[in-house]
Amino acid sequence: MNNLWRVPSGLPTKSMKRTTTIKSIIALALMQAILVPNLLLAQGTVPDMNAQIRKEGMENSQILKTLHVLTDVYGPRLTGSPNHKAAAEWAAKEMTSWGFENAALEPWDFGHPGWVNERASGFITSPVQDSLVFEVLAWTPGTKGIVSGSAVQLQLPTRPTQEELTSYFNSVKGSLSGNMVMIGNPAKIAVNFEPPPKRIADELLKKRLDPNTPAPVAPQPPPVAVDPKPNALTFAQVNDQLDKFLIDSGVAVRITDAGREHGQIRAFNNRTFDVTKVVPTIVLRNEDYGRISRLLADKRTVNLEFDIRNKVIPEGTTSFNTVGEIVGTDKKDEVIMLGGHLDSWHAATGATDNAIGCSIMMEAARILKAIGVKPRRTIRVALWSGEEQGLLGSQAYVKKHFGSAETPTANYAKFGGYFNIDSGTGKARAFSVFGPPEAAAPLRDIASKFEDFGILGASATKSRGLGGSDHTSFNQAGLPGIGVNQDPIEYFTHTWHTNLDTYERIVEDDVKKSAVAIAAAVYQLAIQDELLPRFKAGEMPALPTARN
């Protein structure tokens, strides 16, 4: 031991007492200089914490880099596809490079093989020559090379009985082999003279968030009168029989009208996920579908050519959620989560739906790691798959790790909230949390610190309905899922599930601000003394009788 700190034997002199007192004060000051900042940081009481989050998020953002890799390198990311798995592996590796712990891919059973479209081309070859703009329907077979044939347009009877449908099939049998079959007339898309706004007006949002303002009731259109028709087949029954009839008739390609304006195309999937039950199928832009239909109406023969190369991925039956953590301190067994779905549809690279949501949430956690916070609770990022097929990945995760209010696991009581973003590039404007009214208070408090970003508050919901996005998988379980309300920008009108969903549609300033605000909110929940309030025993809302 250094002699400077040795206490002399015998009775101390007045000078010795004064010297010892000064030394004690110096030692105490040194200890405070070392310990207090760390203690304050751990407890979230550093006055400039939000300023540090803002500075890191606005000046050193990694969002666009992350987005570029997820879209340009690995997009599209259809559930069960090699692209999705590669994107998930990259995300785990990237989070590890940022200093996250326990980054990994967690498997779950998708139950269907994966599928990819490797290439597709189509042309009108006569009476004119032109390229066609289309997307391939997922989980349908390819053409096994270039196929050529005439366009044939079918007009199925409306709400047919079995006898009517069979009679119609018999009337066209023999004319379809080797040809390209269009189903129905082209949709008529009216010009929109009053496009919806790209931002939510502040006053409107404040009214929505005001607990004293009754929730607006959307006007309901009058019910469509349907004349009763005994023995009419259901929509599903007609489709099942149509699929089989097209296969049995040797149809080369089925053509569906996209039915959207300005070349937008939404292509989803063969509902059976079985490529043997359908013919090669495309969704053609409305402008091309209408042109062919009008040529046929002139009694002109229209010849088409297609080359569609699709591939089934057997190992895609196992899909993956991707996780990474900032491990907590004294409450590390409790967890605050944030995330979005990594899977996308295949018509584009899945930028606004939902690579940007994943990029924002990875960035929010990266910001906290970069400024050196020591959260009391563990912060866990989750990137889901199977969202587009019905929130399947997040449902599997919640069931495995937390259970539900009715059948909780050991970790159910230790869950502190899951933040979800999944409505495009628009900046965060408010939070909605499942729980009693008081559950919104901490989120309302953090929103007040970012009102200059346009974040105006929070609200609570008691709905356990499943639908919309992955936070409702937590809500359904009775856990505090937190949805992020965003400005619409062009999401539902242009990019959602369409062939226009690309990197170019991202508003950089908006996504940076979203990441900053979410980082601050996650941090707040990770360091406060108590978890978010939950419904008390006996007050948990009942599960809805049917899926939303």
Side-chain angles (χ1 to χ4, degrees), residues 42 230 248 256 274 361 419 439 443 450 468 495 543:
D248 293 344
T256 303
D274 185 344
M361 294 315 208
F419 291 82
L443 300 172
F450 292 90
T495 65
L543 285 166

Side-chain angles (χ1 to χ4, degrees), residues 32 34 72 141 164 198 208 223 248 287 292 335 339 412 425 463 480 544:
Q32 288 178 329
I34 295 170
D72 298 332
E164 290 170 338
K198 291 180 172 56
R208 291 178 184 174
D248 293 344
E287 294 83 351
I292 296 170
V335 62
Y412 186 85
T425 189
S463 172

Side-chain angles (χ1 to χ4, degrees), residues 352-417:
T352 67
D353 189 22
N354 185 36
I356 192 57
C358 295
S359 301
I360 287 170
M361 294 315 208
M362 289 172 64
E363 172 71 5
R366 186 204 66 80
I367 290 169
L368 298 177
K369 188 68 177 178
I371 64 176
V373 302
K374 302 295 182 184
R376 301 178 69 189
R377 296 179 178 88
T378 293
I379 295 171
R380 183 180 301 156
V381 177
L383 312 178
W384 314 110
S385 63
E387 192 272 352
E388 298 293 7
Q389 289 73 42
L391 316 183
L392 301 181
S394 58
Q395 286 189 75
Y397 184 91
V398 170
K399 182 178 180 180
K400 174 182 176 181
H401 290 271
F402 304 113
S404 68
E406 291 74 23
T407 57
T409 69
N411 290 323
Y412 186 85
K414 300 176 182 180
F415 180 77

Side-chain angles (χ1 to χ4, degrees), residues 124-203:
I124 300 179
T125 57
S126 70
V128 294
Q129 295 187 22
D130 206 349
S131 299
L132 298 174
V133 179
F134 65 92
E135 298 295 334
V136 178
L137 195 72
W139 283 278
T140 58
T143 57
K144 299 179 180 178
I146 298 173
V147 293
S148 301
S150 298
V152 179
Q153 193 165 12
L154 300 187
Q155 299 289 350
L156 273 65
T158 303
R159 301 180 60 242
T161 64
Q162 184 62 64
E163 292 74 17
E164 290 170 338
L165 186 61
T166 300
S167 175
Y168 179 76
F169 286 160
N170 288 336
S171 72
V172 296
K173 186 180 294 185
S175 63
L176 306 182
S177 180
N179 288 326
M180 320 300 180
V181 174
M182 303 166 66
I183 308 297
N185 289 322
K188 295 181 179 180
I189 311 299
V191 174
N192 188 353
F193 290 100
E194 295 182 359
K198 291 180 172 56
R199 300 283 188 194
I200 304 173
D202 287 359
E203 290 306 312

